Amino acid sequence: MKDTMDPPTMDPPATDPLEPRTLRAVLGRFATGVAVVTAASPGGPVGMTVNSFSSVSLDPPLVLFCVNRRSRLHPAFAEAEAFAVHMLGEGQRDISQRFATPGFDRFGEIRPREGLRGTPLLDGTLAVIECATEQIVAAGDHDIVIGRVVMVEAAPGAAEDPLLYYGGAYRSIESQSGWWAQLA
Ligand SMILES: Cc1cc2nc3c(=O)[nH]c(=O)nc-3n(C[C@H](O)[C@H](O)[C@H](O)COP(=O)(O)O)c2cc1C
């Protein structure tokens, strides 16, 4: 059955399935949340927007994210003994963009709190997970950073909807029918 709901960011499959544009478009069909990962570094707090966050194990409690080896922040995350993952709400696209923009003072006026392991923590996100870095696994052009959870915090009460990333664009749960409506 033809999928008439394809968003415009999705290209038709090319003949070479490993052609980067095709691969990116296909991988983009896996919807994710959006998180900001932070760590302390000798030069001050660092933070980066990621959608590669994943839970790994409940016992022991392990999570992971992937960091591009070419990222300016790669050394900071590779050397940090701890990191924190902040899950973003749908109203936090600006924070996501801020922590994804190169060559920019990402913390600016933001004064982070210190976590149990000295990690810079941001307020106002859906949830925070602080981790002790357990293992770093080289994987192609990224490193997989695995952490053992040492602290969790969740926004009290009925949490806001999450910020989603799908097809190379931000989405919200409410916008599920929005993109094709825009095409009409
Ligand atoms: C929604 C979204 C998800 C991202 N996910 C990742 C990721 O999982 N890993 C990564 O290394 N970069 C990811 N990035 C890119 C980084 O946020 C950004 O390129 C990087 O911080 C650029 O700055 P830098 O090279 O100065 O570190 C993502 C960006 C966006 C907007």
Side-chain angles (χ1 to χ4, degrees):
M1 190 176 76
K2 179 163 168 27
D3 180 6
T4 53
M5 306 262 290
D6 283 0
T9 49
M10 302 279 186
D11 295 318
T15 42
D16 178 1
L18 298 184
E19 195 259 321
R21 212 168 52 115
T22 309
L23 188 58
R24 204 173 296 122
V26 170
L27 294 176
R29 292 200 177 188
F30 189 62
T32 68
V34 181
V36 172
V37 182
T38 58
S41 84
V46 294
M48 181 178 74
T49 299
V50 301
N51 69 336
S52 56
F53 169 76
S54 179
S55 58
V56 175
S57 162
L58 280 179
D59 185 17
L62 302 174
V63 301
L64 69 75
F65 72 98
C66 301
V67 58
N68 193 321
R69 293 168 64 87
R70 287 198 300 264
S71 164
R72 195 177 43 89
L73 299 182
H74 175 269
F77 285 112
E79 284 155 29
E81 289 177 1
F83 63 88
V85 182
H86 304 78
M87 295 157 187
L88 299 187
E90 69 171 352
Q92 295 183 310
R93 290 179 192 210
D94 55 334
I95 295 180
S96 176
Q97 276 312 107
R98 182 184 187 106
F99 281 92
T101 307
F104 176 75
D105 175 14
R106 294 178 180 177
F107 280 86
E109 298 298 299
I110 301 170
R111 294 278 161 266
R113 289 182 285 131
E114 261 198 21
L116 289 179
R117 300 294 174 105
T119 317
L121 302 184
L122 306 173
D123 287 324
T125 62
L126 290 186
V128 183
I129 301 178
E130 189 182 15
C131 302
T133 304
E134 178 108 345
Q135 201 183 345
I136 297 185
V137 181
D141 55 13
H142 280 61
D143 275 357
I144 303 169
V145 183
I146 300 171
R148 182 182 284 252
V149 178
V150 295
M151 188 279 297
V152 292
E153 279 178 13
E160 188 191 348
D161 281 345
L163 180 60
L164 304 181
Y165 198 68
Y166 178 67
Y170 294 114
R171 315 275 178 176
S172 61
I173 287 174
E174 288 300 318
S175 74
Q176 60 201 358
S177 58
W179 61 264
W180 58 265
Q182 287 163 20
L183 293 178

mmCIF file of all heavy atoms in Angstrom, residues 105-132:
data_model
loop_
_atom_site.group_PDB
_atom_site.id
_atom_site.type_symbol
_atom_site.label_atom_id
_atom_site.label_comp_id
_atom_site.label_asym_id
_atom_site.label_seq_id
_atom_site.Cartn_x
_atom_site.Cartn_y
_atom_site.Cartn_z
ATOM 1 N N ASP A 105 28.619 30.403 22.503
ATOM 2 C CA ASP A 105 28.653 30.174 23.947
ATOM 3 C C ASP A 105 27.317 29.562 24.358
ATOM 4 O O ASP A 105 26.340 30.266 24.611
ATOM 5 C CB ASP A 105 28.892 31.493 24.686
ATOM 6 C CG ASP A 105 28.809 31.315 26.196
ATOM 7 O OD1 ASP A 105 28.830 30.158 26.673
ATOM 8 O OD2 ASP A 105 28.720 32.342 26.902
ATOM 9 N N ARG A 106 27.274 28.232 24.386
ATOM 10 C CA ARG A 106 25.986 27.550 24.533
ATOM 11 C C ARG A 106 25.341 27.774 25.889
ATOM 12 O O ARG A 106 24.125 27.780 26.005
ATOM 13 C CB ARG A 106 26.163 26.056 24.270
ATOM 14 C CG ARG A 106 26.546 25.800 22.842
ATOM 15 C CD ARG A 106 26.775 24.349 22.571
ATOM 16 N NE ARG A 106 27.146 24.179 21.173
ATOM 17 C CZ ARG A 106 27.466 23.029 20.637
ATOM 18 N NH1 ARG A 106 27.468 21.941 21.361
ATOM 19 N NH2 ARG A 106 27.800 22.960 19.372
ATOM 20 N N PHE A 107 26.142 27.916 26.934
ATOM 21 C CA PHE A 107 25.542 28.115 28.260
ATOM 22 C C PHE A 107 25.119 29.563 28.442
ATOM 23 O O PHE A 107 24.101 29.830 29.065
ATOM 24 C CB PHE A 107 26.493 27.635 29.359
ATOM 25 C CG PHE A 107 26.449 26.146 29.541
ATOM 26 C CD1 PHE A 107 27.234 25.317 28.762
ATOM 27 C CD2 PHE A 107 25.574 25.565 30.441
ATOM 28 C CE1 PHE A 107 27.170 23.936 28.888
ATOM 29 C CE2 PHE A 107 25.495 24.182 30.581
ATOM 30 C CZ PHE A 107 26.299 23.368 29.804
ATOM 31 N N GLY A 108 25.878 30.508 27.863
ATOM 32 C CA GLY A 108 25.493 31.919 27.951
ATOM 33 C C GLY A 108 25.129 32.322 29.366
ATOM 34 O O GLY A 108 25.929 32.192 30.281
ATOM 35 N N GLU A 109 23.886 32.770 29.526
ATOM 36 C CA GLU A 109 23.403 33.208 30.847
ATOM 37 C C GLU A 109 22.994 32.037 31.737
ATOM 38 O O GLU A 109 22.696 32.224 32.914
ATOM 39 C CB GLU A 109 22.193 34.134 30.680
ATOM 40 C CG GLU A 109 22.456 35.423 29.920
ATOM 41 C CD GLU A 109 23.475 36.284 30.641
ATOM 42 O OE1 GLU A 109 23.207 36.677 31.795
ATOM 43 O OE2 GLU A 109 24.549 36.547 30.065
ATOM 44 N N ILE A 110 22.948 30.839 31.171
ATOM 45 C CA ILE A 110 22.488 29.680 31.948
ATOM 46 C C ILE A 110 23.529 29.336 32.998
ATOM 47 O O ILE A 110 24.707 29.139 32.688
ATOM 48 C CB ILE A 110 22.256 28.450 31.032
ATOM 49 C CG1 ILE A 110 21.210 28.767 29.960
ATOM 50 C CG2 ILE A 110 21.849 27.229 31.848
ATOM 51 C CD1 ILE A 110 21.094 27.690 28.877
ATOM 52 N N ARG A 111 23.099 29.304 34.249
ATOM 53 C CA ARG A 111 24.003 28.928 35.349
ATOM 54 C C ARG A 111 23.627 27.520 35.791
ATOM 55 O O ARG A 111 22.658 27.336 36.528
ATOM 56 C CB ARG A 111 23.850 29.901 36.545
ATOM 57 C CG ARG A 111 24.301 31.304 36.250
ATOM 58 C CD ARG A 111 25.830 31.458 36.393
ATOM 59 N NE ARG A 111 26.297 32.645 35.704
ATOM 60 C CZ ARG A 111 26.753 32.668 34.450
ATOM 61 N NH1 ARG A 111 26.814 31.561 33.748
ATOM 62 N NH2 ARG A 111 27.148 33.784 33.878
ATOM 63 N N PRO A 112 24.369 26.506 35.334
ATOM 64 C CA PRO A 112 23.969 25.131 35.674
ATOM 65 C C PRO A 112 24.195 24.811 37.144
ATOM 66 O O PRO A 112 25.082 25.370 37.781
ATOM 67 C CB PRO A 112 24.870 24.279 34.780
ATOM 68 C CG PRO A 112 26.033 25.138 34.434
ATOM 69 C CD PRO A 112 25.563 26.547 34.479
ATOM 70 N N ARG A 113 23.359 23.899 37.653
ATOM 71 C CA ARG A 113 23.587 23.342 39.004
ATOM 72 C C ARG A 113 24.640 22.259 38.890
ATOM 73 O O ARG A 113 24.913 21.767 37.801
ATOM 74 C CB ARG A 113 22.325 22.650 39.514
ATOM 75 C CG ARG A 113 21.189 23.527 39.874
ATOM 76 C CD ARG A 113 20.038 22.685 40.397
ATOM 77 N NE ARG A 113 19.330 21.960 39.358
ATOM 78 C CZ ARG A 113 19.034 20.668 39.409
ATOM 79 N NH1 ARG A 113 19.419 19.912 40.432
ATOM 80 N NH2 ARG A 113 18.347 20.082 38.438
ATOM 81 N N GLU A 114 25.191 21.840 40.039
ATOM 82 C CA GLU A 114 26.153 20.736 40.030
ATOM 83 C C GLU A 114 25.484 19.450 40.463
ATOM 84 O O GLU A 114 24.827 19.406 41.502
ATOM 85 C CB GLU A 114 27.307 21.032 40.997
ATOM 86 C CG GLU A 114 28.519 21.556 40.281
ATOM 87 C CD GLU A 114 29.793 21.449 41.088
ATOM 88 O OE1 GLU A 114 29.869 20.634 42.045
ATOM 89 O OE2 GLU A 114 30.716 22.189 40.774
ATOM 90 N N GLY A 115 25.668 18.403 39.686
ATOM 91 C CA GLY A 115 25.133 17.101 40.062
ATOM 92 C C GLY A 115 26.026 16.400 41.063
ATOM 93 O O GLY A 115 27.052 16.944 41.487
ATOM 94 N N LEU A 116 25.626 15.162 41.416
ATOM 95 C CA LEU A 116 26.377 14.376 42.410
ATOM 96 C C LEU A 116 27.831 14.181 42.012
ATOM 97 O O LEU A 116 28.721 14.134 42.853
ATOM 98 C CB LEU A 116 25.747 12.972 42.547
ATOM 99 C CG LEU A 116 24.401 12.858 43.232
ATOM 100 C CD1 LEU A 116 23.948 11.406 43.231
ATOM 101 C CD2 LEU A 116 24.491 13.418 44.643
ATOM 102 N N ARG A 117 28.071 14.048 40.693
ATOM 103 C CA ARG A 117 29.434 13.838 40.182
ATOM 104 C C ARG A 117 30.024 15.116 39.600
ATOM 105 O O ARG A 117 30.918 15.061 38.770
ATOM 106 C CB ARG A 117 29.432 12.739 39.115
ATOM 107 C CG ARG A 117 28.941 11.395 39.612
ATOM 108 C CD ARG A 117 29.914 10.814 40.643
ATOM 109 N NE ARG A 117 29.408 9.603 41.228
ATOM 110 C CZ ARG A 117 29.843 8.388 40.924
ATOM 111 N NH1 ARG A 117 30.790 8.228 40.042
ATOM 112 N NH2 ARG A 117 29.332 7.329 41.518
ATOM 113 N N GLY A 118 29.464 16.272 40.007
ATOM 114 C CA GLY A 118 29.995 17.545 39.525
ATOM 115 C C GLY A 118 29.572 17.898 38.105
ATOM 116 O O GLY A 118 30.108 18.832 37.500
ATOM 117 N N THR A 119 28.592 17.171 37.570
ATOM 118 C CA THR A 119 28.127 17.428 36.200
ATOM 119 C C THR A 119 27.246 18.673 36.170
ATOM 120 O O THR A 119 26.410 18.852 37.071
ATOM 121 C CB THR A 119 27.298 16.224 35.699
ATOM 122 O OG1 THR A 119 27.969 15.038 36.085
ATOM 123 C CG2 THR A 119 27.122 16.264 34.203
ATOM 124 N N PRO A 120 27.398 19.548 35.145
ATOM 125 C CA PRO A 120 26.494 20.699 35.036
ATOM 126 C C PRO A 120 25.074 20.241 34.681
ATOM 127 O O PRO A 120 24.893 19.520 33.691
ATOM 128 C CB PRO A 120 27.108 21.541 33.905
ATOM 129 C CG PRO A 120 28.024 20.641 33.170
ATOM 130 C CD PRO A 120 28.431 19.548 34.100
ATOM 131 N N LEU A 121 24.111 20.638 35.503
ATOM 132 C CA LEU A 121 22.711 20.219 35.286
ATOM 133 C C LEU A 121 21.859 21.417 34.891
ATOM 134 O O LEU A 121 21.962 22.492 35.491
ATOM 135 C CB LEU A 121 22.138 19.586 36.554
ATOM 136 C CG LEU A 121 22.863 18.364 37.139
ATOM 137 C CD1 LEU A 121 22.100 17.821 38.340
ATOM 138 C CD2 LEU A 121 23.045 17.277 36.075
ATOM 139 N N LEU A 122 20.999 21.210 33.894
ATOM 140 C CA LEU A 122 20.076 22.254 33.441
ATOM 141 C C LEU A 122 18.726 22.065 34.136
ATOM 142 O O LEU A 122 18.290 20.930 34.336
ATOM 143 C CB LEU A 122 19.855 22.147 31.928
ATOM 144 C CG LEU A 122 21.106 22.138 31.042
ATOM 145 C CD1 LEU A 122 20.724 21.864 29.594
ATOM 146 C CD2 LEU A 122 21.836 23.468 31.166
ATOM 147 N N ASP A 123 18.083 23.180 34.469
ATOM 148 C CA ASP A 123 16.740 23.111 35.069
ATOM 149 C C ASP A 123 15.676 23.155 33.983
ATOM 150 O O ASP A 123 15.908 23.662 32.890
ATOM 151 C CB ASP A 123 16.531 24.299 36.019
ATOM 152 C CG ASP A 123 17.342 24.135 37.299
ATOM 153 O OD1 ASP A 123 17.469 22.995 37.769
ATOM 154 O OD2 ASP A 123 17.858 25.152 37.795
ATOM 155 N N GLY A 124 14.503 22.646 34.317
ATOM 156 C CA GLY A 124 13.326 22.855 33.463
ATOM 157 C C GLY A 124 13.123 21.856 32.352
ATOM 158 O O GLY A 124 12.260 22.052 31.495
ATOM 159 N N THR A 125 13.916 20.769 32.329
ATOM 160 C CA THR A 125 13.696 19.762 31.284
ATOM 161 C C THR A 125 12.757 18.672 31.826
ATOM 162 O O THR A 125 12.440 18.650 33.020
ATOM 163 C CB THR A 125 15.024 19.145 30.802
ATOM 164 O OG1 THR A 125 15.665 18.466 31.877
ATOM 165 C CG2 THR A 125 15.952 20.228 30.258
ATOM 166 N N LEU A 126 12.325 17.758 30.962
ATOM 167 C CA LEU A 126 11.374 16.719 31.384
ATOM 168 C C LEU A 126 11.971 15.797 32.435
ATOM 169 O O LEU A 126 11.295 15.366 33.365
ATOM 170 C CB LEU A 126 10.973 15.845 30.187
ATOM 171 C CG LEU A 126 10.101 16.453 29.107
ATOM 172 C CD1 LEU A 126 9.716 15.378 28.118
ATOM 173 C CD2 LEU A 126 8.870 17.094 29.720
ATOM 174 N N ALA A 127 13.247 15.470 32.257
ATOM 175 C CA ALA A 127 13.927 14.552 33.177
ATOM 176 C C ALA A 127 15.427 14.707 33.012
ATOM 177 O O ALA A 127 15.907 15.173 31.969
ATOM 178 C CB ALA A 127 13.519 13.107 32.884
ATOM 179 N N VAL A 128 16.152 14.367 34.079
ATOM 180 C CA VAL A 128 17.622 14.441 34.061
ATOM 181 C C VAL A 128 18.156 13.099 34.562
ATOM 182 O O VAL A 128 17.641 12.533 35.538
ATOM 183 C CB VAL A 128 18.146 15.556 34.995
ATOM 184 C CG1 VAL A 128 19.675 15.661 34.885
ATOM 185 C CG2 VAL A 128 17.497 16.890 34.701
ATOM 186 N N ILE A 129 19.178 12.600 33.868
ATOM 187 C CA ILE A 129 19.850 11.373 34.302
ATOM 188 C C ILE A 129 21.333 11.687 34.391
ATOM 189 O O ILE A 129 21.946 12.059 33.385
ATOM 190 C CB ILE A 129 19.640 10.228 33.281
ATOM 191 C CG1 ILE A 129 18.152 9.935 33.101
ATOM 192 C CG2 ILE A 129 20.378 8.982 33.713
ATOM 193 C CD1 ILE A 129 17.880 8.846 32.069
ATOM 194 N N GLU A 130 21.908 11.572 35.583
ATOM 195 C CA GLU A 130 23.356 11.783 35.719
ATOM 196 C C GLU A 130 24.040 10.412 35.759
ATOM 197 O O GLU A 130 23.546 9.476 36.415
ATOM 198 C CB GLU A 130 23.690 12.574 36.983
ATOM 199 C CG GLU A 130 25.161 12.995 37.007
ATOM 200 C CD GLU A 130 25.552 13.745 38.274
ATOM 201 O OE1 GLU A 130 24.792 13.712 39.268
ATOM 202 O OE2 GLU A 130 26.640 14.354 38.279
ATOM 203 N N CYS A 131 25.148 10.302 35.037
ATOM 204 C CA CYS A 131 25.824 9.010 34.883
ATOM 205 C C CYS A 131 27.312 9.129 35.130
ATOM 206 O O CYS A 131 27.927 10.149 34.791
ATOM 207 C CB CYS A 131 25.665 8.508 33.451
ATOM 208 S SG CYS A 131 23.989 8.328 32.927
ATOM 209 N N ALA A 132 27.884 8.071 35.672
ATOM 210 C CA ALA A 132 29.337 7.936 35.716
ATOM 211 C C ALA A 132 29.739 7.226 34.429
ATOM 212 O O ALA A 132 29.161 6.184 34.090
ATOM 213 C CB ALA A 132 29.744 7.109 36.924
#
